[in-house]
Amino acid sequence: MCGIFFSLSASGTVLPNEETCCLLRARGPDNYHVHNVERKVTNTRSSNEPIAVRLTFVSTVLSMRGDCLVPQPLVDATTQSVLCFNGDAWKIAGEPIQGNDAELIFKLLLQAVNSDSNINSLADSRTSAVQGVLDVISSISGPFAFVFYDAVNSRLFFTRDSLGRRSLLQGVDEAGTFKICSLCDGTSSTHFSEVETDGVYMVDFEHAIFQDDSTSMANAGTPLFAASCIQTLLWDQKQSDRLLRPKNPIPPMNRSTPEAAPPSLNVETIAVKALEQKLRQSLALRIRNVREPPATSLESNVKVAVLFSGGLDCTLLARLSHEILPEDEVIDLLNVAFENPRVAAAAAGKGGAAGSVYENCPDRITGRAAFAELQKVCPGRNWRFVAIDIPYAETVAHRDTVKRLMRPHNTEMDLSIACALYFASRGQGLAYDSRQEGAQPAQYTTSARVLLSGLGADELFAGYSRHGVAFSRNGFEGLIDEINLDVSRLGKRNLGRDNRVIAHWGREARFPFLDEEFVSWVVQLPVWEKCGFGTPSPAEDSPEAGLDSEKKALRLVALRLGMKNVAREKKRAIQFGSRTAKMEKSKVKGTDALT
């Protein structure tokens, strides 16, 4: 995990302001470095002298891969090309990566942009270089966002992976400086938007339209170059042979519908068995060989923790992690509950005990129940349940920071979800060890830098109530449309915001349900092998009896793994389960903009 900042200015070096710099350092506490490039660019609007522009690259690093810290930005001494990389590349062209992923990707990008002596013309060489960069990007499996300056061909590339699992924003500030950053630079959200996940963005300095008067530009806020100079090279989902289109690793959704009633899913269905194996493979990539945490905590050397509500998705990840990690490794289960003054007042009015405000949170109840089932099914593992209790006053004290991190998202629902993720990923609470039954819980902060999240399961396997509504209205076609919509907008709706909030604590969320190979396999399954809508009900005495249709395939995997109670857990949104929603007003909509 890293923090990225880039600026393009004709008025000298432009660095992130102090607030943004502090937030970038929080994302990457292991290293901070600045690199500047000055170059002359052609003014295509007149015959004036070339304009001197300054490219400023800033990286902060949370070192997670390889044997040692690799500072960024990465700079090639020969060409002066530069890479700021934030991500986890698990595979390149299908082959697992050994060592530092950023260094390998930089090496491949440099090979791609250097001219091929066999190409006849300069124009063909420059086109080939662009295609080479796109081919490298297409070969990466894993979450990423990066800024790459190709000094050989005078181009800047920036992008996020096709699912949008890492945050990257772009915008022009009041002074006219073009910026790219892992989070909004400055306190205003009006000038920055998330980089879309529709392709790779490129600025060609040899063909960009630059302004005549850099002094006027700096004073009046005129951008250095026209927005039309940023070319979007769209993902090619059909895997055609057309040039200058990166290949999208996610194929189109399987839109087939059954001619008759499809067979009922059960624990022996081939697709369910394959699902368990595919999920296990995705998870193993993300939790094996995790580096030891920094020796700053005497109380914890835990490497992996789970953002844990006790629901189906996160408990499945915990259960499978048990089979992958050595048995002597502790796995932390981070469970957050909030003091909601409206709920507390209602409970007090009914004679409820004030001390039960956290334990009565829905996610605390399901979390403790799932913790007990994990202990029963996996007795050899030391599970550490971390009860993270957040008083209302503490929520208010941190609210401005959460709002700052989640920008440009700005709704009540964004704030409710972001608050829950912010405090859960901080990882501070009362620890209950499964091997110390009956002991008094102790104050504890997890040392884990890897946090597992179940995000993506609801979108892929029809886990929301609206999926059932879509099926009841328009059958399988309506259900497929709804799933396809959810998968297509993950990056825009969720992942950038979540990345900015979680990374604030120097931790990295990893999403096993959003592995490219896993997602590609799931979207190609017929819809009736993902959920139970439209399938016959199982016999009342069968193990599958009573399972909800939402995410039925995942519920069956839980059954196969011995998690009978978890398999029957209802879906609950994080803001309602942790009680971050509607803290002050009952009549507020999630889509309402924050004041």
Side-chain angles (χ1 to χ4, degrees), residues 196-515:
E196 297 287 348
T197 59
D198 56 353
V200 178
Y201 291 79
M202 180 182 75
V203 177
D204 190 335
F205 290 104
E206 292 194 3
H207 296 91
I209 301 174
F210 289 90
Q211 302 297 332
D212 295 312
D213 188 346
S214 60
T215 303
S216 171
M217 173 204 69
N219 293 334
T222 305
L224 180 59
F225 60 92
S228 59
C229 295
I230 303 178
Q231 182 179 353
T232 307
L233 307 169
L234 296 173
W235 294 109
D236 182 6
Q237 196 174 42
K238 297 180 180 179
Q239 313 295 303
S240 69
D241 294 327
R242 292 174 57 188
L243 289 176
L244 301 186
R245 292 194 72 173
K247 290 181 173 60
N248 191 332
I250 310 301
M253 184 77 64
N254 182 337
R255 304 192 67 87
S256 62
T257 57
E259 295 180 359
S264 179
L265 287 174
N266 60 65
V267 292
E268 297 301 322
T269 301
I270 293 175
V272 173
K273 292 180 178 180
L275 170 57
E276 179 184 338
Q277 184 62 24
K278 296 284 186 182
L279 184 56
R280 194 188 307 268
Q281 291 170 352
S282 171
L283 179 59
L285 276 176
R286 287 156 175 79
I287 63 175
R288 279 184 178 150
N289 304 315
V290 174
R291 186 186 294 174
E292 290 284 344
T296 56
S297 173
L298 298 177
E299 62 178 345
S300 176
N301 62 349
V302 173
K303 299 177 184 179
V304 175
V306 184
L307 296 172
F308 191 74
S309 66
L312 171 66
D313 313 326
C314 60
T315 309
L316 256 183
L317 297 181
R319 172 66 181 83
L320 287 170
S321 295
H322 167 71
E323 298 187 3
I324 297 168
L325 294 176
E327 199 165 77
D328 61 349
E329 285 192 22
V330 179
I331 299 176
D332 282 351
L333 308 173
L334 308 180
N335 180 274
V336 67
F338 287 77
E339 178 190 15
N340 185 311
R342 288 194 318 103
V343 175
K350 296 178 181 179
S356 65
V357 62
Y358 305 113
E359 292 302 311
N360 284 336
C361 272
D363 278 2
R364 178 60 51 79
I365 295 170
T366 57
R368 289 201 180 277
F371 174 45
E373 191 164 25
L374 283 169
Q375 289 176 285
K376 180 181 178 181
V377 175
C378 312
R381 173 76 56 182
N382 186 14
W383 304 95
R384 181 175 292 137
F385 185 87
V386 185
I388 301 168
D389 298 341
I390 308 299
Y392 176 65
E394 191 170 7
T395 301
V396 174
H398 286 257
R399 188 172 283 169
D400 285 345
T401 299
V402 176
K403 288 181 180 179
R404 173 69 178 82
L405 289 168
M406 73 184 200
R407 289 188 181 115
H409 291 257
N410 191 46
T411 69
E412 291 286 349
M413 181 182 293
D414 287 317
L415 181 60
S416 296
I417 295 172
C419 271
L421 293 173
Y422 175 87
F423 285 105
S425 57
R426 185 175 66 171
Q428 295 179 6
L430 290 172
Y432 298 81
D433 279 28
S434 57
R435 289 185 178 170
Q436 298 177 12
E437 189 173 350
Q440 286 297 310
Q443 284 293 333
Y444 171 82
T445 301
T446 186
S447 62
R449 284 184 158 190
V450 171
L451 306 183
L452 295 176
S453 166
L455 197 146
D458 288 306
E459 289 79 3
L460 287 167
F461 293 93
Y464 295 113
S465 59
R466 64 174 179 272
H467 291 119
V469 173
F471 178 77
S472 64
R473 289 177 176 173
N474 298 303
F476 284 108
E477 290 184 356
L479 177 59
I480 293 168
D481 286 341
E482 195 71 20
I483 295 173
N484 192 47
L485 176 64
D486 280 337
V487 174
S488 68
R489 64 187 181 183
L490 263 170
K492 191 175 185 68
R493 296 189 76 203
N494 306 74
L495 289 163
R497 175 201 66 205
D498 296 353
N499 176 252
R500 292 189 291 277
V501 170
I502 294 171
H504 180 68
W505 300 110
R507 309 190 199 278
E508 178 176 290
R510 294 182 177 174
F511 307 101
F513 289 103
L514 294 180
D515 176 84

Side-chain angles (χ1 to χ4, degrees), residues 89-98 104 139 141 285 517:
W90 305 112
K91 297 179 181 179
I92 297 289
E95 293 298 321
I97 294 177
Q98 303 297 326
L104 175 57
S139 72
S141 175
L285 276 176
E517 291 184 16

Side-chain angles (χ1 to χ4, degrees), residues 60-86:
T60 62
V61 176
L62 178 73
S63 183
M64 303 285 286
R65 306 287 293 276
D67 299 326
C68 60
L69 170 67
V70 177
Q72 291 195 42
L74 297 172
V75 181
D76 180 49
T78 303
T79 65
Q80 294 303 301
S81 296
V82 184
L83 175 67
C84 296
F85 181 81
N86 169 25

Side-chain angles (χ1 to χ4, degrees), residues 68-135:
C68 60
L69 170 67
V70 177
Q72 291 195 42
L74 297 172
V75 181
D76 180 49
T78 303
T79 65
Q80 294 303 301
S81 296
V82 184
L83 175 67
C84 296
F85 181 81
N86 169 25
D88 276 312
W90 305 112
K91 297 179 181 179
I92 297 289
E95 293 298 321
I97 294 177
Q98 303 297 326
N100 186 271
D101 50 345
E103 287 184 312
L104 175 57
I105 289 169
F106 192 36
K107 177 183 176 182
L108 294 173
L109 289 170
L110 293 173
Q111 291 173 354
V113 301
N114 279 289
S115 298
D116 187 341
S117 58
N118 295 319
I119 296 177
N120 295 325
S121 70
L122 177 61
D124 288 343
S125 174
R126 286 173 57 78
T127 299
S128 175
V130 173
Q131 188 60 49
V133 170
L134 300 182
D135 288 344

Side-chain angles (χ1 to χ4, degrees), residues 3-17 21 24 32-39 52-60 72-75 80 82-84 147-149 156 177-182 185 205 224:
I4 293 173
F5 175 88
F6 166 82
S7 67
L8 173 63
S9 171
S11 56
T13 300
V14 175
L15 294 167
N17 65 14
C21 185
L24 289 170
Y32 175 92
H33 191 68
V34 179
H35 179 74
N36 289 301
V37 174
E38 187 171 298
R39 60 164 296 129
V53 297
R54 181 65 64 93
L55 287 69
T56 301
F57 301 85
V58 180
S59 280
T60 62
Q72 291 195 42
L74 297 172
V75 181
Q80 294 303 301
V82 184
L83 175 67
C84 296
V147 177
F148 171 58
Y149 172 54
L156 183 81
T177 299
F178 175 63
K179 296 177 179 178
I180 304 170
C181 192
S182 296
D185 182 55
F205 290 104
L224 180 59

